[in-house]
């Protein structure tokens, strides 16, 4: 059977649901287009890997979270808005437009899925969320830390590559026969202090974390880039979704 993989995302806000299209500002529409595009690519990548995607959007009802954790074989936490700084830092150092409803939903969802040892993959924001939930911290605004890190905010380059990163643990990327991997880059936040249960699997030449994993019998991985944009033509990135699907199959046996 195809394992059921719940995708935690928020490509559109319920507060906009009753606003006619003609009244939506161009910048607002542009903003919502990107997460909608990425969500569809995630679903397509999961299907191509043999899984069955199930979208979970932010909700405040605990019974929905409980039902999702009981029913899903695994979880994917997708990209999106900045996570609120209060989860890991008392001061605002450059966080942009956090979504409290989504933060509340996804932190609870992660805690319960993690407690049940469900396979979990985090992409971009999802990778950051994993690190924060396990006790790590984030750079709230990369460009304010190092000016050269501004290159990571390239949402205009979804299908191509922006930079290379060094693979530190090849076992997590079995189809990559090089010491580096080419990635896209659509973020202005990233992992700062790595949570103690995690190990870094990929990083840039100047030390910015691009991938993490938990060394255990379970499956918990995070990548900072967006493999869903590359997976259709890149076997190394497609394998990231295949590894999640295989873990979910093992879990359901």
């Amino acid at each position: 059977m195809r394992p059921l993989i719940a995708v935690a995302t928020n490509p559109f806000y319920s507060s906009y649901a009753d606003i006619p299209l003609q009244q939506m500002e161009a910048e607002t529409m542009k903003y919502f287009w990107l997460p909608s595009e990425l969500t569809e690519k995630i679903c397509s990548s999961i299907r191509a890997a043999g899984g069955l995607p199930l979208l979970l959007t932010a909700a405040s009802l605990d019974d929905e979270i409980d039902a999702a954790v009981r029913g899903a074989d695994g979880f994917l936490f997708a990209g999106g808005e900045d996570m609120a700084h209060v989860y890991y830092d008392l001061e605002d150092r450059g966080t942009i437009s956090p979504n409290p409803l989504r933060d509340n939903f996804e932190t609870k969802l992660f805690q319960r899925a993690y407690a049940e040892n469900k396979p979990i993959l985090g992409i971009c924001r999802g990778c950051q969320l994993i690190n924060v939930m396990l006790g790590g911290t984030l750079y709230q605004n990369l460009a304010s830390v190092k000016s050269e890190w501004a290159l990571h905010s390239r949402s205009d380059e979804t299908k191509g590559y922006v930079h290379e990163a060094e693979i530190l643990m090849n076992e997590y990327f079995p189809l990559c026969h090089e010491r580096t991997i080419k990635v896209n880059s659509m973020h202005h936040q990233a992992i700062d202090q790595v949570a103690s249960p995690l190990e870094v699997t990929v990083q840039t030449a100047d030390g910015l974390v691009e991938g993490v994993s938990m060394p255990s019998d379970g499956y918990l991985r995070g990548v900072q880039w967006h493999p869903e944009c590359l997976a259709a033509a890149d076997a190394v990135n497609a394998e990231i979704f295949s590894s999640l699907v295989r873990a979910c199959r093992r879990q359901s046996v």
Side-chain angles (χ1 to χ4, degrees), residues 93 138-149 188 192:
R93 306 176 194 271
L138 305 179
Y139 292 118
Q140 293 187 40
N141 185 2
L142 291 178
S144 68
V145 181
K146 290 184 180 181
S147 59
E148 58 267 33
W149 281 354
H188 84 106
D192 179 6

Side-chain angles (χ1 to χ4, degrees), residues 3-9 42-43 46 52-57 65 67-69 71-78 105 109 113 119-121 244 248:
L4 183 64
I5 299 175
V7 180
T9 183
I42 286 172
C43 292
I46 290 173
L52 180 64
L54 171 68
L55 291 185
L56 298 179
T57 55
I65 296 174
V69 173
D73 297 304
F75 292 83
L76 190 155
F77 289 83
F105 174 71
L109 181 65
I120 296 173
L121 172 64
L244 173 63
C248 291

